[in-house]
Amino acid sequence: MEHVRGETTDASPGIDGVTPNREVGEQAREGHPVVFVLDKHGLPLQPTTPARARKLLKQGRAVVARHTPFVIRLKDRTSDQSKVDGVELGIDPGSKHTGLAVFTAKDGERRGLYAVELAHRGGRIRDKLTARAAYRRGRRSRNLRYRAPRFSNRTRPKGWLAPSLRHRVDTTMSWTTRLARWAPVRAVHIERAAFDTHAMSHGGPLERAEYQHGTLHGTEAREYLLAKWGRACAYCGATGVPLNIDHIHPKSLGGSDRISNLCTACIPCNEKKSNHPVEDFLRKSPRRLARILAQAKAPLRDAAAVNATRWALWHALDATFPTVRTASGGRTKWNRQRTGTPKTHTLDALCVGELDTVTRTPAHVLAVTAAGRGSYARTCPDKYGFPRLRLPRQKQFFGYQTGDLARAIVPTGKKTGTHTGRIAVRSNGNFNIKSAHGLIQGIHHKHFRLLQRGDGYAYTARREGPTGTR
């Protein structure tokens, strides 16, 4: 049976029902990401193919509701008049990136429809809060006017998370609710990973009382470091001189106080290294650099961030969606290896939970980066703290603001052509636009046409493949 819009009752629109044969090494088929569809009242319908979306737009039966991700709205159909099978959503949470996958599931067979890789800005939030703390510490130590203490009136509510961690939960929830507005999400599958940081720092499994024996069991920090580094400077090898304790990865650049990030250093090397990365300091001594990096264990910051946010994210999803299913990271890895799926954030999200096979994967991924909505600061200080320039108090000029997605059609001049991308507004009316071909500066605002308002995210499309970050 075929409906007016072209749906079929046996499968989702535009998605073949061919199951790959794993015995002969056949992989899941790749397909174009689907187009989200809304009815005339804005309710989500079953996603469709790009070809059918172009046909509906050409016939005048649909209009563009959103540019990125691409969403159309039908003008002559409602959800009651359409067959909506529903889709499911998979989430693979991470510290730096979170994978989101929209798919259909029937009899244990999953067909990937759309993939989103969300890049968090928790690291930048942490750096900004650290800089703010340094400014406030400086104000307290300088000979300035008296400021009454405020430490006694600050309490943290139950379930409080640091701003950099809360950002990871909020952005993930923001995109799950967005996808639920554009697609009929029936269930959510989330990987609730738990990292054993003690076993990770030990380098192997632990049992019973071994969990109570840390790195410094039976010794002291300084004696441990002196014995570990042979009572010599880790950077130049000098012996018989006074030794300081130095951070291999500088603390000002995100390094931790873990014993594996500390080493012994003579006073000249400690002062010369300062807060420079060890890779820059020992660039001319690659063998010594490799030895130091081999001694320093991998940081646990990312694992700690996932551990701290997993319960908050699950509670937020459980309060928003009627059906939320959790699965372990081991189950996701087993599904990925059994189905022959490469390891990426979005494909991990597609393999979360119970499944038999994956028959289709999106060929392209929408990479979404949390870029923020600007700054409250109205001045830019110089290195001495004095205001260097003053920024305008308004964000919008000539109907545009920085971050909007627009298209500039320039008829004549050196910048002749059509340019599409994010814009940076200027009060004089000449805007900059960053397109796929580079940055074009000084285009008059009359040549621009707004495509989508800035929403605090930057969008790029790339082929599905590993990125090398968690």
Side-chain angles (χ1 to χ4, degrees):
M1 178 181 178
E2 186 174 347
H3 294 266
V4 178
R5 211 186 88 217
E7 303 99 330
T8 55
T9 57
D10 57 344
S12 298
I15 302 174
D16 53 47
V18 179
T19 302
N21 188 356
R22 303 298 178 190
E23 297 180 357
V24 297
E26 186 177 358
Q27 300 295 324
R29 297 172 180 265
E30 287 190 347
H32 291 289
V34 298
V35 175
F36 298 112
V37 183
L38 306 177
D39 71 353
K40 66 179 183 181
H41 299 304
L43 298 178
L45 301 178
Q46 196 72 12
T48 188
T49 62
R52 185 173 286 113
R54 288 192 296 268
K55 183 177 178 180
L56 292 171
L57 292 171
K58 186 176 180 180
Q59 293 175 350
R61 297 180 53 200
V63 294
V64 177
R66 183 181 173 88
H67 187 278
T68 307
F70 197 70
V71 184
I72 64 173
R73 179 173 56 83
L74 297 178
K75 298 191 294 184
D76 57 354
R77 296 296 298 276
T78 62
S79 58
D80 296 335
Q81 300 170 342
S82 303
K83 179 178 175 57
V84 181
D85 298 329
V87 298
E88 298 184 11
L89 179 64
I91 304 175
D92 175 42
S95 173
K96 298 178 181 178
H97 296 83
T98 293
L100 303 170
V102 179
F103 57 87
T104 59
K106 184 178 180 181
D107 299 331
E109 180 180 304
R110 289 188 179 180
R111 300 168 182 171
L113 305 181
Y114 203 85
V116 176
E117 184 182 87
L118 177 60
H120 303 294
R121 59 191 295 261
R124 282 176 288 171
I125 293 176
R126 181 199 63 229
D127 295 340
K128 287 181 178 294
L129 291 177
T130 303
R132 187 182 70 176
Y135 289 142
R136 291 180 175 178
R137 190 179 302 113
R139 288 199 298 266
R140 286 194 295 268
S141 61
R142 296 192 198 103
N143 186 20
L144 302 175
R145 67 179 180 86
Y146 174 75
R147 293 174 180 267
R150 296 178 56 196
F151 58 85
S152 59
N153 62 350
R154 296 182 180 182
T155 58
R156 293 176 177 175
K158 184 178 180 180
W160 178 88
L161 289 174
S164 58
L165 300 178
R166 173 56 58 182
H167 159 80
R168 293 174 170 91
V169 178
D170 291 342
T171 50
T172 304
M173 285 302 303
S174 173
W175 271 93
T176 54
T177 53
R178 285 187 181 198
L179 293 174
R181 290 200 306 265
W182 302 326
V185 177
R186 300 290 188 255
V188 176
H189 305 263
I190 179 173
E191 178 186 307
R192 195 163 62 185
F195 294 96
D196 190 343
T197 55
H198 196 172
M200 293 172 62
S201 62
H202 181 264
L206 300 174
E207 295 181 357
R208 300 180 182 178
E210 293 180 347
Y211 275 100
Q212 302 176 10
H213 300 165
T215 306
L216 299 179
H217 176 65
T219 184
E220 296 180 353
R222 188 171 185 85
E223 290 298 325
Y224 173 82
L225 291 174
L226 289 173
K228 178 180 179 180
W229 297 98
R231 299 183 179 274
C233 176
Y235 301 127
C236 67
T239 59
V241 296
L243 298 175
N244 294 340
I245 296 179
D246 183 53
H247 290 79
I248 298 175
H249 298 290
K251 195 171 181 180
S252 60
L253 301 181
S256 66
D257 289 328
R258 292 177 60 214
I259 196 69
S260 61
N261 192 43
L262 302 178
C263 69
T264 55
C266 62
I267 296 177
C269 288
N270 194 10
E271 294 178 349
K272 186 177 181 180
K273 179 177 178 292
S274 184
N275 66 337
H276 299 294
V278 66
E279 293 82 3
D280 296 341
F281 180 64
L282 296 178
R283 183 182 293 119
K284 296 182 180 179
S285 302
R287 301 180 68 178
R288 192 180 298 273
L289 174 63
R291 182 178 63 86
I292 293 177
L293 293 180
Q295 293 264 22
K297 297 180 181 178
L300 302 176
R301 182 171 57 247
D302 294 335
V306 175
N307 282 348
T309 56
R310 61 192 179 102
W311 284 106
L313 179 58
W314 180 81
H315 285 306
L317 289 171
D318 189 55
T320 305
F321 296 94
T323 304
V324 179
R325 302 186 180 98
T326 61
S328 65
R331 181 61 183 259
T332 303
K333 181 179 180 180
W334 182 66
N335 289 337
R336 190 180 65 247
Q337 293 177 346
R338 184 166 51 91
T339 58
T341 307
K343 179 172 177 55
T344 65
H345 302 289
T346 51
L347 293 180
D348 273 3
L350 183 60
C351 295
V352 172
E354 297 182 4
L355 63 94
D356 292 333
T357 183
V358 176
T359 59
R360 184 185 188 272
T361 60
H364 293 82
V365 175
L366 179 65
V368 180
T369 304
R373 296 177 180 269
S375 173
Y376 289 105
R378 298 294 91 194
T379 60
C380 293
D382 57 14
K383 63 179 180 179
Y384 302 106
F386 293 99
R388 184 175 60 87
L389 56 86
R390 298 189 180 276
L391 302 177
R393 292 188 174 273
Q394 67 185 71
K395 285 189 174 182
Q396 195 170 96
F397 292 94
F398 304 97
Y400 300 91
Q401 65 181 23
T402 299
D404 288 345
L405 180 63
R407 177 177 291 123
I409 302 177
V410 184
T412 58
K414 295 182 179 180
K415 307 177 183 69
T416 302
T418 301
H419 314 284
T420 303
R422 299 285 167 180
I423 63 173
V425 300
R426 298 291 181 267
S427 59
N428 58 10
N430 296 320
F431 301 162
N432 301 340
I433 182 170
K434 188 174 183 180
S435 65
H437 305 288
L439 178 66
I440 299 96
Q441 297 180 334
I443 299 179
H444 198 268
H445 69 90
K446 291 183 178 180
H447 300 311
F448 283 93
R449 175 173 167 266
L450 182 66
L451 300 179
Q452 183 174 299
R453 286 291 181 189
D455 56 357
Y457 296 95
Y459 302 97
T460 55
R462 61 170 179 80
R463 285 197 60 85
E464 178 66 88
T467 58
T469 57
R470 290 299 294 174

